[in-house]
Each structure stands twice: as structure tokens, then as C-alpha cells.
Amino acid sequence: MPSGIRLQRIADRIRLELSEMLIREISDPRLKQIFVTDVKIDKELAYADVYVSAIEGVSRSKDVLAGLESASGFIKRTLVSRIELRAFPRLRFHWDVTPENADRIEKKLAELREKK
């Protein structure tokens, strides 16, 4: 079982490689202008949970997740060739609402500042 530091390094590498693939290699229009916010790997290296978001927000979530599932075979094959692991984790894609929540909180804080 890998250490926590090794798991974090693997997750960071997957996030970096996947981000570059989304910019340069994947031509699916559903996957334009999205970004990988986080990757979390379980201790057994069985699953990698990939969290994505887009500037437009949750309105694109279904299209983006469908596009990622459609391209998951290509994504995994490419990542396997770039990242040397004995067993590569299965990719699971999730929508990350953190950027939208942060934006909503920032707006509320700005409103409170204006009231003073």
C-alpha cells in the first residue's frame, strides 16, 4: 500500500497530465474550457476520483460528464502510457461545485461590505 505522499504525487501527476490533454489533445466540443480541480486516489490505487468544473457553472455539468465518460477509454490509455504504475486506477469523474460555492460566498461577502 503506497504512502500518503506517494498517493498525492500520483494524484497531482494525473491532474497535470489530464489538464494538458484537455487543452491540447481532446477535441470533443463538450470538453472545451473545463478544468480539473482535484484528483483523489484511494489507498489501494483502485479508483481515481477526478473532479472537474467549468466557468459557466453547473449548467454544463451533464454534457461535460457525458463527454468525459465517452472519452474515458482514450484518457485512461493515454495516462497509462505517460504515468508508470503497475496497476492504473479506474477513473471516475465528478462535478466539483466548489468554484460556484466560492463565487456565491464572495458575492455575499461583497454585499456585506457594501452595507457597512
Side-chain angles (χ1 to χ4, degrees), residues 8-23:
Q8 188 59 48
R9 273 196 223 138
I10 294 168
D12 289 344
R13 181 73 190 275
I14 290 173
R15 186 175 50 79
L16 176 71
E17 293 292 340
L18 182 55
S19 295
E20 287 184 17
M21 287 173 57
L22 288 169
I23 293 170

Side-chain angles (χ1 to χ4, degrees), residues 35-38 50-54 65 94-100:
F35 49 95
V36 179
T37 58
D38 197 13
V50 179
Y51 295 89
V52 296
S53 191
L65 292 175
H94 307 279
W95 188 259
D96 189 0
V97 295
T98 304
E100 293 147 8

Side-chain angles (χ1 to χ4, degrees), residues 14-90:
I14 290 173
R15 186 175 50 79
L16 176 71
E17 293 292 340
L18 182 55
S19 295
E20 287 184 17
M21 287 173 57
L22 288 169
I23 293 170
R24 293 187 172 90
E25 298 172 37
I26 298 177
S27 60
D28 190 334
R30 297 176 289 187
L31 302 180
K32 295 297 178 195
Q33 297 180 343
I34 66 167
F35 49 95
V36 179
T37 58
D38 197 13
V39 175
K40 294 183 181 176
I41 300 178
D42 67 338
K43 293 183 183 201
E44 291 80 29
L45 285 173
Y47 294 98
D49 292 310
V50 179
Y51 295 89
V52 296
S53 191
I55 295 171
E56 294 88 2
V58 75
S59 63
R60 285 191 54 204
S61 65
K62 288 183 182 178
D63 286 340
V64 169
L65 292 175
L68 287 168
E69 286 300 324
S70 171
S72 65
F74 169 76
I75 291 170
K76 185 173 179 177
R77 276 192 312 274
T78 306
L79 289 174
V80 165
S81 70
R82 294 179 184 179
I83 303 170
E84 293 184 28
L85 293 173
R86 249 181 274 156
F88 202 85
R90 183 173 178 265

